[in-house]
Amino acid sequence: AHVVTANKNAFALWNTTSGESEGYWQVRESNIRDISVSNQGDYVLIGKSNGTVVHVTIDTGRRLEFLGHQEKINSVDMLPNGRIAISGSNDFVAYVWDTKSGQVIYRFNHPSRVTKVALDPKGRFAFSADSKKDAHIWDLKTGKKISSLQYTNRQEVFSSVRFSPKGDYLLTGAPSRKVSLWQLGTGKRMKSWYVSPRKDICPAGAVVYSVAFRDNEHILTESSAGFNELWQIND
């Protein structure tokens, strides 16, 4: 497996088995806003501040630029095989597109800037959320909306998203320490938790950087407080 690390102007690819770096690349013209890597490290997807999304084939250096967006990119994701991408932008749109041809597969419209997008690794679902009130789960086979997340707050912002392996739940993390488990079919919040904050800052806070299902009974969270925490779904 591989991971990718990035700052505004460059990214590096790492082999998680050996711990070795497999390359370092600099990005020209505009800053990196978000980045995603395929399972084998064959492809990297880069969302940029100039509104372009670049799909890079690492071995050959092939670059495909997706030019469908009109404003800066906030979030990108792709399937583990690197073939399908999703991107969300300040232009109020999330696009699902083919990384070989650059052709748009689906367009998901929002009433405000799209701040977070995600794809189910098994290719069943897509997620898109905006800066105001809308967060939707879509059927990736048909492009039809399955549900909208139901929350009573004026808005919720998501910093991490994960679909359950069985396809029945969605897990989200937020910059407010909040982790939520949602029923995928209805959009109802089933449960929520708050990750541990850092004690040395006031007010005590933490951004939930990553969420995952360890199994059907437990979830894992990783936050800016430096803690990796295990939670029981049914306690």
Side-chain angles (χ1 to χ4, degrees):
H2 292 74
V3 296
V4 66
T5 56
N7 59 21
K8 284 185 177 182
N9 309 112
F11 68 92
L13 185 66
W14 305 84
N15 186 308
T16 56
T17 304
S18 66
E20 298 290 321
S21 170
E22 295 193 354
Y24 175 84
W25 295 264
Q26 288 190 300
V27 175
R28 300 191 201 99
E29 296 167 3
S30 66
N31 294 333
I32 297 172
R33 295 276 299 159
D34 196 18
I35 196 163
S36 178
V37 63
S38 67
N39 259 8
Q40 304 305 316
D42 297 329
Y43 309 103
V44 172
L45 187 70
I46 308 160
K48 300 170 71 177
S49 57
N50 65 357
T52 62
V53 186
V54 184
H55 182 267
V56 181
T57 304
I58 296 299
D59 283 349
T60 65
R62 174 186 180 266
R63 292 162 49 91
L64 183 142
E65 288 199 349
F66 179 73
L67 304 173
H69 289 289
Q70 306 302 310
E71 295 186 38
K72 75 176 176 182
I73 309 300
N74 294 315
S75 182
V76 298
D77 196 15
M78 63 179 164
L79 292 184
N81 64 6
R83 275 301 316 275
I84 302 296
I86 188 170
S87 50
S89 165
N90 272 7
D91 62 8
F92 298 13
V93 178
Y95 284 113
V96 175
W97 47 279
D98 185 299
T99 60
K100 282 201 170 177
S101 66
Q103 291 295 308
V104 171
I105 300 170
Y106 303 122
R107 172 185 174 132
F108 303 140
N109 294 316
H110 279 261
S112 65
R113 59 193 181 90
V114 178
T115 52
K116 190 67 180 176
V117 295
L119 293 177
D120 165 45
K122 294 185 178 180
R124 299 166 295 184
F125 314 109
F127 173 84
S128 62
D130 62 46
S131 61
K132 289 192 175 175
K133 190 65 181 170
D134 290 354
H136 304 306
I137 298 166
W138 309 88
D139 187 323
L140 202 54
K141 298 285 192 293
T142 65
K144 303 291 186 185
K145 185 165 66 177
I146 295 173
S147 64
S148 298
L149 300 192
Q150 299 178 32
Y151 40 85
T152 54
N153 299 345
R154 186 173 61 85
Q155 69 180 89
E156 292 211 13
V157 177
F158 304 104
S159 50
S160 50
V161 178
R162 191 71 63 102
F163 291 93
S164 69
K166 284 187 175 180
D168 47 0
Y169 293 110
L170 182 78
L171 192 59
T172 62
S176 59
R177 293 175 46 213
K178 193 172 187 176
V179 179
S180 296
L181 183 71
W182 311 82
Q183 193 173 54
L184 194 144
T186 64
K188 290 181 179 176
R189 195 193 318 255
M190 308 303 292
K191 200 163 190 178
S192 59
W193 303 263
Y194 285 90
V195 300
S196 300
R198 278 184 58 177
K199 299 291 194 293
D200 58 340
I201 60 171
C202 189
V207 179
V208 183
Y209 282 143
S210 185
V211 291
F213 291 88
R214 194 185 79 167
D215 50 43
N216 291 330
E217 296 297 324
H218 300 86
I219 62 169
L220 290 161
T221 60
E222 197 169 82
S223 79
S224 61
F227 299 119
N228 191 313
E229 297 176 272
L230 178 69
W231 308 85
Q232 192 164 327
I233 293 175
N234 298 306
D235 50 18

